[in-house]
Amino acid sequence: MAERVLSKLSIKYSRFLWSTLGNLSKRASVRQLHSKLSDNNPYIKVSKEVKEALLYRQPVVALETTIYTHGFPYPDNTALASRLESIVRTNGGIPATIGVLNGVARVGFSAEELIELTASAGRPETRKVSRRDLPYILGLGYAGRRLNGGTTIAGTMVLARLAGIKVFATGGLGGVHRGGENSMDVSADLTELGRTNMAVIAGGCKSFLDIRRTLEYLETQGVTVGTFSDGREGRVDFPAFWTRDSGNLSPLTIKDEEEAANIIRAQQGAQISSGLFFASPIPAEYSIAKEKIDAIIAQAVRDAEESGSTGSDNTPFILNRIRETTDGASVVANRALVESNVARGTKVAVHLAKINDDHFKNNG
Ligand SMILES: O=c1[nH]cc([C@@H]2O[C@H](COP(=O)(O)O)[C@@H](O)[C@H]2O)c(=O)[nH]1
């Protein structure tokens, strides 16, 4: 009898010991990750809240900032930035807004810092920062020329990965521009998804891009692409931001947030280093009819061509034209979509944290 009790106790004790050791080693690895970045790194600052959330395996959701510096005007962008952070919190996550403030990359902003960044939107010295722009803006910052920058999906992914964040929610993905087969104007978002292990949840991409070629390019890059079915039967379209139907079938259909989290977990468990993209269609009540938005976009694309706007200026130019033509209706839909993506992305992150926790408890 005493033996049995002792043996039970020893099993319990060793489980406890292993799980404690496991937790400590996990924390140590996150600490190690941060030690490269935080105190000693003059280029990237991770906020205390985000660091602690990662340490305790809480569901952290990355948020980008090009949407504020080059998408929405001030002060609407400030309101949106704070609203998106509170949507993450009310859905059980910790927001990690990512961008460049005064020449230093930030993972996690305070409310005051967020106001400072969003208030600088539209100024020429406030940059749109993709992967290629990071060394430039951070190098100048270190040397004393302290610019602000809104990070694109690609730029945000680079910084989020360094901090150890796995889930990122935003509005719309960059893509292959129309005529991209000649101009080679392909967003660095797509190559970033090919090389960075992170799940991005967004509303697909706007149809002023070439969606068919964008999906081809993502396939070449080895990116897992799925679209939430939202109760629809069979295969669904990859969404075109303002409208649920793009005329292009999504490579995969995802049932719900839990299924998405299981796919992310498998990606991590199998150590596959490329990214995942989960498209979340615009809520039906905000969806603009495909024909209507197609005509508006066609005109905006013609205007962009005439004005000679290319490269990284192309997306902001077209978005601005669409806003003018729709009398702001596109902005209302845009906001509703981003909010719904962020809520959904947080639910994915919450499921992922739970799956990871269960896995950790069972396997140490
Ligand atoms: O519907 C949108 N698409 C894209 C963007 C932003 O533009 C970037 C892509 O720009 P480019 O095509 O220059 O890579 C995206 O990562 C995102 O930050 C946006 O604000 N809204």
Side-chain angles (χ1 to χ4, degrees):
M1 173 70 185
E3 232 170 64
R4 227 187 288 156
V5 172
L6 267 178
S7 114
K8 270 197 178 157
L9 269 177
S10 100
I11 291 174
K12 250 191 166 169
Y13 181 70
S14 67
R15 273 202 195 136
F16 170 74
L17 193 70
W18 277 118
S19 101
T20 308
L21 281 176
N23 272 326
L24 285 176
S25 78
K26 179 88 179 177
R27 276 173 209 177
S29 76
V30 180
R31 269 210 192 99
Q32 211 176 14
L33 236 155
H34 287 309
S35 68
K36 277 193 219 144
L37 296 178
S38 51
D39 302 337
N40 305 329
N41 194 312
Y43 303 108
I44 306 172
K45 190 176 159 215
V46 183
S47 75
K48 187 162 176 278
E49 184 191 27
V50 170
K51 250 188 259 179
E52 284 183 2
L54 288 166
L55 195 59
Y56 293 100
R57 300 202 300 275
Q58 286 175 314
V60 176
V61 180
L63 301 168
E64 62 145 306
T65 42
T66 293
I67 189 172
Y68 311 138
T69 55
H70 291 75
F72 286 80
Y74 177 77
D76 293 1
N77 57 359
T78 317
L80 183 64
S82 118
R83 172 113 183 97
L84 294 185
E85 290 210 342
S86 58
I87 288 174
V88 174
R89 289 186 201 285
T90 50
N91 283 281
I94 303 291
T97 298
I98 296 179
V100 179
L101 185 67
N102 297 319
V104 178
R106 305 292 177 120
V107 178
F109 277 68
S110 70
E112 295 73 29
E113 290 167 345
L114 214 42
I115 292 172
E116 198 181 336
L117 178 68
T118 49
S120 73
R123 297 186 195 147
E125 66 274 19
T126 301
R127 305 296 169 98
K128 176 176 165 183
V129 180
S130 188
R131 172 183 271 268
R132 66 158 190 194
D133 309 296
L134 280 167
Y136 174 82
I137 196 161
L138 302 182
L140 262 60
Y142 187 74
R145 190 164 169 233
R146 303 188 168 279
L147 305 175
N148 289 346
T151 44
T152 64
I153 290 184
T156 304
M157 286 177 80
V158 171
L159 298 168
R161 188 191 67 80
L162 285 169
I165 299 170
K166 297 286 179 206
V167 178
F168 167 18
T170 186
L173 179 68
V176 178
H177 282 257
R178 292 186 190 182
E181 64 276 27
N182 294 319
S183 67
M184 293 188 64
D185 192 349
V186 178
S187 171
D189 291 355
L190 307 188
T191 40
E192 199 57 47
L193 276 166
R195 57 158 66 119
T196 301
N197 186 347
M198 185 170 299
V200 178
I201 292 96
C205 53
K206 290 175 175 159
S207 49
F208 56 72
L209 298 167
D210 184 333
I211 296 184
R212 188 174 67 78
R213 285 192 171 84
T214 300
L215 290 173
E216 286 294 342
Y217 199 89
L218 287 168
E219 183 191 343
T220 306
Q221 290 289 319
V223 181
T224 304
V225 176
T227 300
F228 287 99
S229 65
D230 289 342
R232 294 168 292 175
E233 291 295 328
R235 281 185 74 182
V236 299
D237 266 15
F238 183 78
F241 201 86
W242 289 293
T243 167
R244 296 184 145 219
D245 308 309
S246 67
N248 296 273
L249 280 176
S250 173
L252 300 167
T253 305
I254 309 295
K255 185 163 70 96
D256 55 22
E257 291 86 1
E258 190 175 1
E259 187 168 286
N262 272 305
I263 296 168
I264 300 171
R265 171 70 217 175
Q267 175 95 337
Q268 288 167 10
Q271 302 192 15
I272 300 166
S273 62
S274 45
L276 304 124
F277 186 78
F278 297 117
S280 183
I282 188 164
E285 63 271 31
Y286 289 101
S287 184
I288 301 178
K290 183 173 183 305
E291 307 72 50
K292 188 172 167 195
I293 196 73
D294 278 353
I296 293 167
I297 288 172
Q299 184 58 48
V301 170
R302 279 196 294 274
D303 293 348
E305 278 164 10
E306 272 167 31
S307 80
S309 154
T310 54
S312 64
D313 294 336
N314 191 262
T315 302
F317 181 94
I318 293 175
L319 291 181
N320 210 22
R321 282 300 294 141
I322 294 171
R323 176 169 43 225
E324 285 164 9
T325 336
T326 59
D327 240 349
S330 69
V331 180
V332 175
N334 192 340
R335 194 177 296 129
L337 177 57
V338 182
E339 290 182 6
S340 124
N341 296 342
V342 169
R344 177 163 252 164
T346 310
K347 286 178 192 151
V348 172
V350 168
H351 278 292
L352 181 63
K354 188 175 176 316
I355 295 168
N356 277 336
D357 242 18
D358 291 348
H359 182 90
F360 209 66
K361 275 185 202 132
N362 296 332
N363 303 304

